[in-house]
Amino acid sequence: MNTLAWFAFASLAAWVWLLLGQGFFWRTDQRLPPTTRGPGHAREATAGGPGAPVGGHAREEPGAWPRVVIVVPARDEAGVLPLSLPSLLAQDYPGVAEVVLVDDGSTDGTGALAVELAGRCGGLPLTVASPGEPEPGWTGKLWALRHGMALARARGPEFLLLTDADIAHEPDSLRLLVSAAVGNDLDLVSQMARLRVESMWERLVVPAFVYFFAQLYPFRRINRARPRATAAAGGCVLLRTETAVAAGVPESIRQAVIDDVSLARAVRRAGGRIWLGLAERVDSVRPYPGLGELWRMVARSAYAQLRHSPPLLLGTVAGLVVVYLVPPVALVAGAAAGNAPAAWAGGGAWAAMAGSYVPMLRYYRQPLWLAPLLPFTAFLYLLMTVDSAVLHHRGRGAAWKGRTYARPEAAPDR
């Protein structure tokens, strides 16, 4: 066999391992866990875990639904706030809940618009606050969360719902999140919001974004009692307040660009139990109509995910080439040159790749003819990742909403 055939067989072997040995990442059935019991039942104590009572005895949950404060960091979000904030104010929650929106130095009237929407829509009480510019060593979102979580804790909530300003929730979203957390003794429940998919570029890039995330952080493995890796989806995180205090968040992760993964790791280090899955009742309303907007979304944090490591960057690029780009090249070039082993191995790897992508396309309600185009999308992500590294080494780092973090800290992999 020639070199092309060897690469094709290496790619096929990689796909066999990914499909069977990477936590069945391609499946999309990790939704909110069924509630085994609701508020008013005893929570089993976990030895040494957050909130474990003295002596290890089970403790009783409050007879009523636990109090929740929803914290929304917002910077220049006037364009999406009318689609998201009313959905939070309209939550059909049986217990006491309120919303704290942190206007993080907006220049488009985000704070005033939030007050106007609350007056017009009614529903849950709303507090709008502003923390001022971030102190040195803080990323903007975490600085806003610090202020919002401090205000929230003064209300004595048992849970905090941390949700982005571009996330819309169905009326029963909070009820279901709290039920899942209380009924399964979870300290952090996180849902990957269903991102908007309308333009052609969104169809090509967005489902693949979630697919690649699940490949990197298989949900089934994350949700094990003792996982080797952990993660969360920052757009929708229900967090037990006492666990947040035990984990020292957000102070302990104040420099993180990838704040959701860093938050999950901090909670796990504090002994918290975590669940991560796909959302059915939570949607992002932020549009990414063109390739430029999607490119910036990925490039701003891709190199931080690699801990700003050139060897990890080279390994990632090589892996993307072998796993995603070699199969179509081997099939076409092998067929043209009469190289049957390369063509068959490349075709098999491409078919495995496309087949594994189908469940995600169905979750996003997209046509299945997009599945064979995954190598093209992977090539775009390869370029975005390299661009992210170039921006970092030029001192421009992670840029978002007018702020640039030239040398941000990567999330510690612990």
Side-chain angles (χ1 to χ4, degrees), residues 235-325:
C236 177
V237 176
L238 184 75
L239 177 63
R240 197 179 291 270
T241 306
E242 63 182 3
T243 305
V245 173
V249 296
E251 287 79 7
S252 63
I253 59 171
R254 60 187 177 275
Q255 290 183 301
V257 173
I258 309 175
D259 53 88
D260 45 12
V261 175
S262 299
L263 171 62
R265 288 171 178 166
V267 168
R268 190 76 79 179
R269 288 195 298 271
R273 297 185 61 197
I274 287 175
W275 183 91
L276 169 65
L278 295 172
E280 294 178 310
R281 314 286 289 167
V282 180
D283 299 278
S284 172
V285 296
R286 188 181 303 283
Y288 293 99
L291 179 59
E293 295 91 345
L294 290 162
W295 192 290
R296 286 187 290 273
M297 177 190 74
V298 175
R300 73 185 180 94
S301 60
Y303 197 43
Q305 182 64 63
L306 299 177
R307 287 174 275 170
H308 307 111
S309 167
L312 281 179
L313 174 65
L314 291 175
T316 298
V317 169
L320 287 171
V321 169
V322 171
V323 174
Y324 288 99
L325 304 187

Side-chain angles (χ1 to χ4, degrees), residues 102-134:
V102 184
D103 183 4
D104 181 20
S106 299
T107 60
D108 64 351
T110 290
L113 177 59
V115 173
E116 177 187 337
L117 289 169
R120 187 192 316 162
C121 302
L124 299 182
L126 172 71
T127 299
V128 176
S130 179
E133 284 299 304

Side-chain angles (χ1 to χ4, degrees), residues 158-177:
E158 184 171 345
F159 285 96
L160 303 168
L161 175 59
L162 313 179
T163 185
D164 289 346
D166 64 332
I167 303 298
H169 294 250
E170 294 293 330
D172 59 354
S173 172
L174 182 58
R175 176 199 288 260
L176 294 173
L177 284 164

Side-chain angles (χ1 to χ4, degrees), residues 7 41 64 68 75 110 125 146 154 158 181 213-214 222 224 226 241 244 279 281 303 321 334 349 379 390:
F7 272 105
H41 291 77
V68 181
R75 178 173 171 83
T110 290
R146 178 201 188 198
E158 184 171 345
F213 182 89
I222 298 297
R224 291 175 181 171
R226 298 180 181 273
T241 306
R281 314 286 289 167
Y303 197 43
V321 169
F379 179 63
V390 170

